[in-house]
Amino acid sequence: MAQVMLDNGLVETLCNVISAVNKVYKNYDFDVEEEQQLLLGDIEHFLACIVVRSCSLGGLQSFQHLDDLVTMLGILEDKEKEIHGMTSEAVRNIRKIRMHVLKEAIDHIHAIYKVDGESNVLPRGYHSYSEPKLKPMVSTYPMVDRSYSVDGRFTAYVGEDVDDDVESGTPHKILQRQLSMSESRRYSTLLDSRKVHKLQKERQGVSDNEAPQRFQKLIYLAVNMILFLDPVVQRRTEVDHHVDSFSDFCSDASYLDEERSFIEYLYDLLVDCLSTIQERTRVRNRKHWHSLLWSSRDVLRVQLGRLMVHMLSPGQDIAMRCYALNLAQGPKAQNILKTTLQSNLQHDVKVVVYLHDLMTNHSQELNESQAEDTKVFRVLLEKCGFIPEPLKSQQLRSSLAEDMRVFESEREKNRMMWRKQRETYERRQLHKLDGLAKEISHCAMEVTQKVVMDQNMQRKKLLEEVRHGMAENMDLRRRWHNIIQQLTHERAVWYDPEYFPTSWQLDPTEGPARVRRRLQRCHLGLNMKYLMPEKLTEYQESCKEPLSYLFEDCTEHADSAVLISRTQTNEAIKNTAKCSNVTPSSETPGELLIGSNNVYFVGDDGVLDSNSTWEKQSEGEVMSLSWSYEEIREIHRRWYQLRDDGLEIFLTNGKTFLLAFENQKERDYVYRQLLSMDLPNHVELGNIGANIGAITQAWRSGQMTNFEYLTQLNKIAGRTFNDLMQYPVFPFILADYTSEELNLEYPKSYRNLLKPIAVQYKDMESVYIDRYRWLKEEFDKPEIVHGVELMPPTEPHHYGSHYSNSGTVLQYVVRLPPFTKMFLQYQDQHFDLPDRTFHSVGTAWRLSSRESTSDVKELIPEFFFLPEFLTNGERYNFGRKQSGEPVDHVILPPWAKQDARLFILIHRQALESDYVSQHLHGWVDLVFGFKQKGKAAVEAINVFHPATYFGLDVSSIEDPVKRRAMETMIKTYGQTPRQLFTNPHPQRSFSDSAMYPEVTGMYSPGIFSHIATKDANKSQQTKIERPIQQVKGLKWGNYVGSPTTPEPKVCWRETYSTVVAKLVALPTGSLCGLAANVCLFVMYAKEKGVSSINTTDIEWSAILSWGHPDGVMRLKQKRNTEPINFIHTNTSDQISCCNGLSDCRQFFAGTVSGVVIVYNTKFNSARLSNIEVVGNRVRLYGHNGAITCMSVCTPYSILASGSQDGTCIIWDLNRLCYIRTLSGHSGPVMATAISDTMGDIATTSRPETGGSDLYLWTINGNLVSKLHCDSVIHSLTFSHAPEGTSINVIAAGLHTGIVRLWSSWDLKPVREIYADEFNQPVVSLVFSHDCNFLYAANSEGTVVVWNKSEQGKQKIPAFIPFLK
């Protein structure tokens, strides 16, 4: 059994126990320290049993256990030394155990070979080590002797006078008694007659050849341990006043008692052994011990010499050095000394030199006895022929000092060799049990697998029930939240103004060309000190959600594990990956789950921000995002913090998500796996180079505006709204911010797009060139400077700041939540100094272009589409400037008339001007092109700090301080976009007439199967007076009805027996005419990338009819087929109007009761109808009267519903929730229209006085203008020519049959369009997809088409009636 335990890691286990004991008792008091010593004493005893067994049994394997034990203790000591230090109690305990193990082994061999008829007289010094160092009271207790047997067991012999009352006294005294007996049993080696027979038996197990080898091995191990291990030392108390040439070899430390005792014990043992060898073998019963020593004589002499030299060396204290001189006092000292020193040619020289040092340099430190011992030892050396010479000259003293240095060097060399050999053996020892561990792990794994399988079978049903209940509970809570959301807004029955949010923040939903115009409600969650006094009266500092108390007692743990379990219950998860969801305000770690139908992101931390746009069930719950594969539109690999490990996902509803993975390999794997799924709406962009080429060609040919082109370049270069450090960057366009009148046709009104923003003026170039030259000289200096500085010299650059970073973006949008809170966090919960706050567009231009060498920022996209960021709508208190002027709304140029919306519109037109179009390629070269890096960048004065460029590998920086500094730079300095062009960018080469490309498409079988493709022609542009008097050069655009085009002419007319109640323009260029109570469903083919930018194909189509007596909505896919029952509705609440999204994702029905019903639909070719309703219908409550009209804007994901109650409500199609009410109408809202380009909303109402009132609202509910029309307006529509190159119009169909046009900027009248014999109310109105044709239908069933030029010069788009 003992052998099995030793072979299976008993020694390693005991070493682990020692380590654990040292760790547990590290910082305890004295009482616990005694308990620790008691435990360690028991372990010593256990190890002694192993030692006795190893020394008693024959064979190499048996003694190997002792060698392994010594090695493992050495490994343990090194580990504790590294953790606790050399002088720690832990190291001291292990060193003591090591010495005890070696001593027990030597003593056991000594005992079994020197036992027969011999008095057991131990060497002098042995008792000083073996007697325990305990408190004085310990000596009053009897000694307990435990002798070890060959099988590892022990027998106790207790004296007759043992006190039976061991339980008397305090626990502290009892512990001392136990410690006394433990020490006694371990250190007692008294032999009596009862042990003789047993020891003789044990000796018979070891052969005569093995015994000397083992004894020599033990002596060798003991001497090496003394010579080569660092002593556990304590500082000397005495002061050495003598300083000479030998003082460098002296030490100020001395051994602890245990080490000193062991050294003295071993020294005396070696001397005693050599003395025994000198005797003649006259006694028969001593032959065994004498034979063993005689076989080991050479080893004993060498080891005694090594130990003597070590003890006499100047590195030892005086007491140790003098102890070595005791050899001269013993019998046969001369013979022992002579044979010892002659065993090695160097020992005699070293002993002579060290003795001279002791007698000459330390004579004053010796007492009388020690001085006498040195003299006797010197005489003994002379008798042996080693005559020391006095140090009579300085030259001889220097020679001896040099000898001592050589001796010390030799000792250190031997020590390194010993350590190297020991390390090799330690490595082998550490891996000795690897095979056993592997086998045990394999067996444990098999057992574990079996147990797990059994457990899984037993608890599978329980888990399913728990998960099912959990999913139901979560679903129930979600439904309650939806109900609360629908019924607590300001137009709902449970409205509570105390909890309903009144502030507005930017909605991250992206519209066309990635513009983000929408705002959404929020709680500011800011301290009132940040607000102006007039805001405090209406400010709600509470951020609680309405009816939040309903969930206060919920005990469900909605953590990540719960959500993951819920998703795994309902859907198979194919892969998971650790990543972080990156937003402008945070980086949330979590896990991405790729399911069979959906993708999930489950955050690790709770969502505490009540303004978060993420889906959450209550305060503090984890972030949970999900989207189906049908929603994924684009997937792009991204850089994040200059690491190529990001992934950005674009959805069809305008949402985007930036995910940062742990490494590039993990990101690429997820990227490939997502692309392998069925993504019906995914746009395959293909090769980036080819994609960029196609986009550039589209821009050059006029198929893309400047704004759209810059947006695409930012997107391909990795710029994203989700990361403030990689926010999209746009150029400063204008240079005139002071004039009352702006001339967009005057080149000097613009900045120089061929040069960086910082060098718009010639005199500024030398400033940055000189900076670059100086930094280059510093960088080229010798590398010796690198060792002095904390950071190495920075590579040369012109600008220490960047044109785009988080600070720049937050400065611009500080007035717009949620960026306000981000700015406060960025500025340590303070607004910036008023004079440094972004307060004027003109000042920002001056600072960037001339007045500041550290401010070289460009613009952000919001300068071209979002007026709300320029106004202080939340009434923040930014303070007063040094001039006393308060900082409030951003000061705009005089030509903008302090109208933020007007400034944005004019600025967008400036971006699309002819001058910018001809020079924009120069700015692209600087930011995205060949002037971004290298020699061209230096020549263009366009080099930024190296920490802003891609390719910087932070992980390669070994110094943690430098690495953290570089990471901070990356997070704050800004990041240069990915370089897209390596050659000069081509200039734009198109005329304005090419801005409206030909639109073509093809049709698949369906409701359009009999229709052929139609083409559209182009027209020419004319001039007209200014739309805004203070701005010259604005463009009306090239569309039918534009003031710059000829008078619209009727090019087609047709009269039908059924009234065309609704006209629908298709992206293919064709138009559809629908009868009353009919809605069109169209499924467009998947986009094929940039190459399909001007082509659209129809994959499936159908018409939906309602108003049937049975309340069933019916779907018809082909003209000659019977309709299919699709949706059953409530006959008691009749449907008044319907509408739907162009991609068939949602369908809306307005009812007479004022409820808007939303059906989520999905194309499914497996069904008879090819379309199905998914999920539950959603009811949107807010109107008090019947729904009269509904308009859907797919690009901005909003729905506008008008009602008899005189309100128009805007609904969010992504969240299916209430946004705001457009109130103040003079009567029932009869018609609505939404601009697909800007999101502006037009409404019309009928006052009691007659006629109609027309209202123009921004997408965020701000009333732009209103007017009264004498004739009743029956229909409304917007033209949708590209923004910036056009000023679109609102077309209204009047009761008189006239179509009247107003400017979409300010409702300024543009023109009237009419036709002969077309004088009935215009019930429907629409522009063709290319805006070259205007279609109108009146109440008599007549459809009229106007175009820009005379009839016959353009092909009329196909008109497809669905009137039966």
Side-chain angles (χ1 to χ4, degrees), residues 1240-1255:
D1240 290 345
I1241 302 169
T1243 60
T1244 180
S1245 64
R1246 295 182 186 178
E1248 296 180 355
T1249 56
S1252 292
D1253 290 334
L1254 178 63
Y1255 301 82

Side-chain angles (χ1 to χ4, degrees), residues 439-484:
E439 182 180 352
I440 293 175
S441 299
H442 180 71
C443 295
M445 187 177 298
E446 290 182 348
V447 173
T448 303
Q449 289 176 349
K450 187 177 184 306
V451 171
V452 169
M453 290 178 62
D454 293 341
Q455 290 178 340
N456 288 342
M457 293 298 294
Q458 295 177 10
R459 63 185 182 182
K460 183 177 181 180
K461 292 183 179 180
L462 176 62
L463 288 177
E464 289 297 329
E465 291 179 2
V466 171
R467 287 179 177 179
H468 181 70
M470 192 180 300
E472 285 187 346
N473 194 10
M474 293 287 290
D475 185 63
L476 181 62
R477 292 180 62 190
R478 183 181 295 102
R479 293 189 181 189
W480 263 107
H481 278 283
N482 291 336
I483 293 174
I484 291 172

